């Protein structure tokens, strides 16, 4: 090797005259003389050496020469970079000490002596993979090719060493990606496939293959037309796929429905060379969707029927109440006339019976009035608008001002109420009914009523997680307070420290004309107030329920919009949870 073997040093004449650049002209030349021949060979040799040197210096792989005893005789710049040893520190050293990990050294020496003895070796003249040892002690994967260099005084070896760390990483990433993909495909209800032009299946895999009785190994390499003969849907999909159509299609196979998405694979010229597709088994999904549709339709029908029968019921209640009022008015008048005109004539027993007749007809009148109000609550159109509930409550308190004063009931409103979208007149009726009950059914010397609300936001979660006294237990019974907080609309309440309701009666208080035993002691009533409350609240899409501790007090809760969990259909569920039915 020369120190400066740049090919340029040989000049163009060398190239022209060298055997690498034969003279192709037909002009015959005189045979060279011996000195000329010698000079030519020298030049050729110099040029070969220059070429080799350039290769050695600039090769992208490490080039290492060793002699027959394993001592390094040449070490190119790439070997320096790869193993961290400079040429000066490597040449003359045993190769094994420098670059072969200790665990491979014995095998190296065995190979070397075997080759020297037999001139045969498994590691010679072929590429093999092993590990290299860096100067810093780290190991890395390498690919090595060893060739034998015959020398005048024996043999030497030349090795080309390539660092395969990056390649190995890519291979490992690829294997991982394949593994992941395989796991998905093996467990998802899909079939993934690739087809070449003409429909030859080059790849097909997926759990959904079981559903159509196809085994991947049996169909790969076969035409899709053989596997699914005379199936126009498959042929259509294939044809469209090779035309570049990527729109999804539904295909029925072996009684299963598949949604097929396909993507064309194009070569550098944009020609479609294959299609890759995913077919998802949507049979269950479609069945569920169909069931849902049928259920929704039935529900809608039932709702419409319910609505119609409710309207009819309201209409009926209205007609009955209205028509009964006429003869009742006559009975009331006659009862009064009898008492006024004949009260002195009849004896005490007769007089008290006449009094009872008047009271009963008054009560009947009251009930008919309540029935009329109830049917009005069901039929009157709601005038929904954003309403300030503070004003609504104040109007109710004003209307009940006399009773509050008379019974010395303190009213507290812990914090202002929010605005709500509702019919303020109807919600005013709700508050009047609840507050008047709270005034009426109270036997405590210091009576109070609390009018408040809970919001659905974090405050609700906080309260629900650490329930405050009287907070709706239904929140806890929904399973998760977080879910409850997210799904519930604001909850309004009217709380009192009154007589309370026994647990077995909780479910009954909202029933038509239902008055609990002993209610008369606290004042008269039709037993319709809470029924009307329920009707109004439900017409707003809300729910109403009660929690109570007998002899300690009650809290009536209501919402004015449906919760997102069940679109308002949860009313009955919630009422059942909080208020077990009273039979
Ligand atoms: P009314 O008050 O006219 O009897 P309601 O429908 O308003 O009719 O109430 C039904 C029954 O529920 C009442 O008779 C009473 O027994 C009971 N009730 C209602 N509100 C309360 C309350 N705040 N405290 C205790 N019991 C109540």
């Amino acid at each position: 090797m020369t120190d400066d073997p740049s090919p340029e040093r040989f000049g163009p004449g060398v190239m022209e005259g060298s055997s690498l650049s034969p003279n192709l002209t037909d002009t015959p030349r005189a045979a060279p003389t011996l000195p000329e021949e010698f000079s030519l060979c020298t030049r050729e040799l110099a040029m070969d050496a220059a070429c080799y040197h350039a290769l050695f210096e600039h090769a992208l792989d490490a080039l290492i020469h060793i002699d027959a005893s394993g001592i390094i005789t040449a070490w190119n710049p790439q070997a320096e970079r790869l193993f961290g040893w400079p040429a000066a520190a490597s040449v003359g050293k045993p190769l094994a000490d420098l670059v072969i990990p200790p665990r491979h050294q014995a095998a190296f020496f065995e190979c070397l002596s075997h080759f020297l003895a037999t001139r045969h070796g498994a590691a010679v003249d072929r590429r093999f993979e092993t590990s290299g040892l860096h100067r810093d002690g780290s190991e890395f994967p390498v690919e090595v090719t060893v060739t034998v260099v015959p020398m005048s005084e024996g043999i030497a070896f030349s090795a080309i060493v390539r660092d395969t760390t990056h390649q190995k990483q890519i291979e490992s990433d690829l294997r991982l990606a394949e593994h992941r993909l395989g796991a998905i495909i093996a467990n998802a209800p899909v079939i993934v496939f690739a087809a070449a032009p003409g429909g030859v299946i080059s790849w097909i895999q997926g759990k959904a293959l079981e559903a159509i009785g196809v085994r991947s190994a049996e169909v790969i390499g076969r035409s899709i037309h053989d596997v699914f003969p005379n199936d126009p849907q498959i042929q259509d999909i294939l044809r469209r796929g090779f035309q570049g159509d990527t729109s999804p299609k539904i295909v029925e196979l072996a009684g299963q429905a598949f949604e097929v998405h396909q993507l064309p694979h194009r070569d550098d010229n944009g020609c479609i060379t294959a299609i890759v597709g995913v077919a998802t088994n949507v049979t269950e999904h479609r069945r569920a969707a169909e069931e849902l549709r049928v259920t929704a339709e039935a529900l809608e029908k039932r709702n419409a029927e319910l609505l119609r029968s409710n309207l009819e019921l309201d209409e009926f209640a209205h007609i009955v109440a209205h028509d009964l009022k006429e003869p009742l008015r006559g009975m009331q008048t006659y009862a009064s006339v009898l008492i006024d005109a004949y009260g002195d004539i009849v004896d005490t027993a007769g007089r008290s019976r006449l009094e009872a007749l008047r009271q009963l007809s008054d009560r009947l009148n009251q009930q008919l009035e309540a029935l009329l109000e109830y049917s009005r609550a069901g039929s009157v159109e709601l005038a929904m608008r954003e309403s300030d509930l503070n004003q609504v409550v104040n109007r109710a308190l004003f209307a009940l001002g006399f009773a509050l004063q008379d019974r010395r009931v303190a009213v507290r409103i812990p914090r202002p109420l929010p605005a709500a979208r509702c019919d303020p007149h109807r919600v005013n009726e709700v508050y009047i009914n609840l507050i008047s009950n709270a005034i009426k059914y109270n036997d405590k010397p210091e009576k109070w009523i609390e009018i408040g609300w809970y919001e659905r936001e974090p405050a609700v979660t906080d309260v629900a997680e650490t329930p405050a006294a009287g907070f709706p237990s239904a929140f806890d019974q929904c399973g998760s307070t977080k879910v409850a907080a997210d799904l519930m609309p604001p909850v309004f309440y009217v709380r009192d420290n009154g007589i309370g309701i026994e647990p077995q009666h909780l479910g009954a208080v909202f029933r038509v004309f239902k008055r609990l035993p002993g209610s008369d002691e606290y004042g008269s009533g039709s037993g319709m107030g809470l029924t009307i409350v329920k009707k109004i609240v439900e017409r707003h899409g809300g729910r109403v329920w009660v929690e109570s501790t007998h002899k300690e007090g009650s809290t009536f809760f209501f919402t004015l919009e449906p919760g997102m969990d069940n679109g308002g259909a949860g009313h009955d569920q919630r009422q059942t949870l909080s208020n077990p039915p009273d039979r």
Side-chain angles (χ1 to χ4, degrees):
M1 277 181 272
T2 67
D3 284 333
D4 184 14
S6 156
E8 287 81 2
R9 283 191 64 208
F10 295 95
V14 174
M15 296 299 286
E16 280 159 18
S18 76
S19 59
L20 294 172
S21 175
N23 190 336
L24 299 175
T25 59
D26 295 336
T27 321
R29 276 192 170 189
T33 62
L34 202 62
E36 278 173 347
E37 184 99 6
F38 179 75
S39 162
L40 199 66
C41 284
T42 314
R43 282 185 200 166
E44 281 180 3
L45 269 175
M47 211 192 73
D48 285 352
C51 288
Y52 175 74
H53 186 85
L55 240 163
F56 187 80
E57 288 294 313
H58 303 293
L60 296 177
D61 294 330
L63 298 179
I64 303 168
H65 294 283
I66 57 169
D67 63 17
S69 58
I71 300 297
I72 298 166
T73 54
W75 185 259
N76 80 341
Q78 185 58 18
E80 290 183 334
R81 282 190 283 274
L82 194 58
F83 294 103
W85 295 101
S90 319
V91 174
K93 299 272 170 47
L95 179 80
D97 291 355
L98 238 55
V99 302
I100 300 181
R103 63 201 159 88
H104 293 322
Q105 287 181 2
F108 166 73
F109 286 119
E110 203 178 305
C111 271
L112 188 61
S113 41
H114 177 77
F115 187 85
L116 293 175
T118 64
R119 289 296 188 264
H120 288 293
V124 173
D125 286 337
R126 68 175 193 83
R127 214 175 275 147
F128 63 91
E129 289 182 350
T130 181
S131 302
L133 181 67
H134 191 269
R135 184 179 186 174
D136 64 12
S138 63
E139 286 188 25
F140 55 95
V142 289
E143 192 181 85
V144 183
T145 313
V146 178
T147 48
V148 179
V149 185
M151 307 286 280
S152 48
E153 68 287 1
I155 56 165
F157 300 95
S158 167
I160 302 169
V161 185
R162 177 172 294 175
D163 181 0
T164 55
T165 309
H166 185 58
Q167 186 187 328
K168 289 280 164 203
Q169 187 56 49
I170 290 173
E171 280 171 15
S172 152
D173 290 351
L174 215 65
R175 270 198 304 276
L176 187 67
E178 261 179 30
H179 185 72
R180 283 187 194 139
L181 189 69
I184 294 169
I185 293 170
N187 295 299
V190 295
I191 299 171
V192 284
F193 62 92
V200 174
I201 302 169
S202 54
W203 179 49
I204 188 159
Q205 230 181 321
K207 192 171 169 54
L209 280 174
E210 292 165 15
I212 56 166
V214 167
R215 290 158 70 96
S216 164
E218 288 169 7
V219 295
I220 287 180
R222 286 174 57 197
S223 163
I224 217 163
H225 304 294
D226 293 344
V227 181
F228 304 104
N230 306 322
D231 191 327
Q233 320 165 82
I234 301 277
Q235 283 164 11
D236 184 52
I237 291 252
L238 213 61
R239 188 176 48 77
R240 285 167 184 270
F242 279 102
Q243 284 170 353
D245 183 354
T246 55
S247 53
K249 303 274 170 312
I250 295 287
V251 171
E252 305 275 346
L253 278 178
Q256 308 283 307
F258 288 89
E259 187 173 292
V260 184
H261 291 255
Q262 50 184 1
L263 274 181
H265 178 74
R266 296 176 192 273
D267 63 13
D268 293 344
N269 300 321
C271 296
I272 299 176
T273 54
I275 53 165
V276 180
V278 181
T280 309
N281 193 336
V282 291
T283 316
E284 275 311 309
H285 178 78
R286 285 177 106 202
R287 194 172 299 148
E290 180 56 18
E291 271 172 23
L292 211 67
R293 193 191 60 74
V294 171
T295 313
E297 231 175 64
L299 210 67
E300 208 172 303
K301 216 169 126 194
R302 246 188 69 192
N303 271 349
E305 277 167 14
L306 216 65
L307 201 70
R308 188 178 46 75
S309 77
N310 272 349
L311 280 175
E312 278 174 12
L313 213 66
D314 286 341
E315 207 177 323
F316 175 74
H318 183 85
I319 292 167
V320 170
H322 187 266
D323 289 2
L324 285 182
K325 271 183 77 80
E326 194 54 39
L328 182 64
R329 238 192 314 273
M331 283 166 66
Q332 276 178 306
T333 312
Y334 280 119
S336 297
V337 168
L338 277 175
I339 290 169
D340 292 347
Y342 303 100
D344 296 338
I345 300 169
V346 293
D347 60 8
T348 324
R351 196 179 159 75
S352 82
R353 279 172 196 148
L354 282 176
E355 202 54 61
L357 183 66
R358 186 162 62 179
Q359 274 175 17
L360 283 172
S361 52
D362 282 352
R363 179 154 169 69
L364 189 56
N365 187 46
Q366 193 188 10
Q367 286 184 323
L368 288 178
E369 284 290 348
L371 202 60
L372 276 174
E373 200 183 322
Y374 174 76
S375 71
R376 229 186 348 263
S379 56
V380 76
E381 202 161 320
L382 293 183
M384 299 290 279
R385 57 172 185 263
E386 201 66 11
S387 316
D388 180 355
L389 290 184
N390 297 296
Q391 286 180 13
V392 174
V393 166
N394 282 339
R395 268 206 308 279
L397 290 173
F398 182 74
L400 295 166
F402 178 74
L404 284 165
Q405 246 179 357
D406 187 44
R407 305 261 305 168
R408 296 214 185 111
V409 183
V411 176
R412 55 191 198 214
I413 302 175
R415 58 176 173 151
L417 294 153
R421 195 172 159 69
C422 63
D423 179 334
H425 295 295
R426 300 285 86 78
V427 177
N428 181 51
E429 283 175 48
V430 169
Y431 274 114
I432 286 184
N433 273 305
L434 295 180
I435 297 169
S436 61
N437 279 351
I439 298 171
K440 194 166 32 167
Y441 301 111
N442 199 322
D443 56 354
K444 305 294 184 303
E446 285 185 17
K447 306 175 180 54
W448 57 257
I449 298 174
E450 185 177 300
I451 301 167
W453 67 292
Y454 296 107
E455 58 209 345
R456 78 195 92 175
E457 288 305 331
V460 170
T461 316
D462 294 342
V463 178
E465 279 168 355
T466 330
F471 193 81
S473 62
F475 275 85
D476 306 330
Q477 293 172 27
C478 282
S480 149
T481 49
K482 178 79 188 88
V483 171
D486 286 349
L487 301 180
M488 297 296 175
V491 176
F492 307 100
Y493 67 83
V494 174
R495 178 174 295 146
D496 63 54
N497 65 335
I499 60 171
I501 300 167
E502 288 179 83
Q504 70 270 25
H505 295 315
L506 282 173
V509 292
F510 297 98
R511 291 216 316 249
V512 180
F513 293 133
K514 182 67 185 179
R515 302 204 77 213
L516 298 184
S519 297
D520 286 343
E521 290 171 31
Y522 299 93
S524 65
S526 62
M528 282 297 284
L530 290 178
T531 318
I532 292 169
V533 164
K534 184 168 180 268
K535 182 104 180 175
I536 294 173
V537 165
E538 284 181 354
R539 286 204 63 203
H540 279 81
R543 310 156 179 175
V544 59
W545 68 102
V546 58
E547 287 198 353
S548 182
T549 306
H550 189 218
K551 296 188 176 159
E552 283 184 21
S554 311
T555 307
F556 284 83
F557 300 96
F558 66 94
T559 60
L560 288 172
E561 57 187 285
M564 284 173 68
D565 51 347
N566 50 16
H571 171 79
D572 293 333
Q573 183 194 351
R574 169 167 290 199
Q575 210 183 313
T576 316
L577 287 173
S578 280
N579 309 333
D582 172 280
R583 295 266 170 241

